[in-house]
Amino acid sequence: MSRNQILVRNIKHLTDARYFAAMGVDWMSMELNSDPTSFMRWHTLKDWVEGVKLAAEIDAADEMLVSKTIIDARPDGIVLTQLLDLEGISDAELFFDTHYINLEKCPTDSFSIIHFEEIDADQILSLDPSTTFIQHDWTVDELENLLNLGYKGGICFSGGEEDATGMRDYEVMDKLIERLKG
């Protein structure tokens, strides 16, 4: 039995990066933008964590940023909020956030990130589990209900703010990840 893939979006600090890498998530993403410190954080994160694929969340309308991301960051994946064809330019896996892009327009060989509140329960099992991630501010009960429906696709979590530098309460996240890993 394969387990649900896990993507953690919006990583902003090393506390989250180290925690989620240690918990064995499949993917982590962070925003890259025109501010050079975003690339400094990216490279620091890349040096500090192992065993997890890294995705860059970028504004695809900025062609210079797309180029800098592909050349400098060399991400395993790229999360986009608009359609963009990077075939031949990058080997990175593409994730399309369907909050902004119609699911039917997403390329078939890419991942789709679907927001839980935007789909009906009867649609969940028709989603391709190999290319779909469902994003939500999950509670243990909501995740349990989704998995009890038979959902086998990916799950998105979000990074959070530190309580103090280097400290964050992961009690609920521990339960969520433990449930996914069975």
Side-chain angles (χ1 to χ4, degrees):
M1 180 178 119
S2 64
R3 68 169 181 82
N4 304 78
Q5 283 198 74
I6 301 171
L7 163 64
V8 184
R9 296 182 71 182
N10 202 26
I11 298 291
K12 293 183 180 177
H13 48 80
L14 288 175
T15 304
D16 269 356
R18 288 187 298 243
Y19 167 78
F20 288 113
M23 293 302 287
V25 304
D26 303 286
W27 288 92
M28 285 190 285
S29 73
M30 69 177 290
E31 179 187 4
L32 292 178
N33 55 45
S34 59
D35 181 355
T37 59
S38 72
F39 281 85
M40 289 171 36
R41 274 192 310 273
W42 173 272
H43 288 293
T44 301
L45 180 130
K46 197 170 186 174
D47 290 343
W48 273 79
V49 299
E50 292 181 2
V52 62
K53 294 178 185 174
L54 300 178
E57 300 211 23
I58 59 173
D59 176 2
D62 183 342
E63 292 179 13
M64 292 296 289
L65 179 61
V66 172
S67 296
K68 182 171 175 52
T69 298
I70 291 168
I71 293 167
D72 183 11
R74 295 187 315 265
D76 299 304
I78 300 175
V79 179
L80 299 165
T81 57
Q82 56 190 337
L83 288 175
L84 181 67
D85 182 12
L86 295 177
E87 190 172 328
I89 299 171
S90 174
D91 292 333
E93 298 279 351
L94 298 181
F95 293 78
F96 291 97
D97 188 328
T98 62
H99 187 68
Y100 306 95
I101 302 167
N102 186 314
L103 180 61
E104 288 79 34
K105 293 185 179 182
C106 295
T108 56
D109 59 343
S110 65
F111 292 107
S112 300
I113 300 170
I114 300 171
H115 296 255
F116 184 64
E117 58 276 359
E118 295 177 356
I119 58 173
D120 297 323
D122 60 332
Q123 294 175 298
I124 290 173
L125 295 180
S126 67
L127 299 171
D128 181 347
S130 66
T131 60
T132 303
F133 285 82
I134 295 182
Q135 180 170 323
H136 187 57
D137 187 13
W138 297 103
T139 66
V140 175
D141 289 340
E142 288 171 326
L143 183 60
E144 185 69 33
N145 290 339
L146 177 69
L147 298 176
N148 285 340
L149 286 173
Y151 180 71
K152 304 284 188 211
I155 299 291
C156 283
F157 298 123
S158 292
E161 299 300 323
E162 293 175 300
D163 300 325
T165 302
M167 298 177 64
R168 182 169 171 217
D169 181 2
Y170 290 104
E171 183 178 351
V172 172
M173 194 59 66
D174 286 341
K175 292 176 183 175
L176 292 167
I177 292 173
E178 180 181 302
R179 173 56 183 98
L180 284 171
K181 292 189 170 193

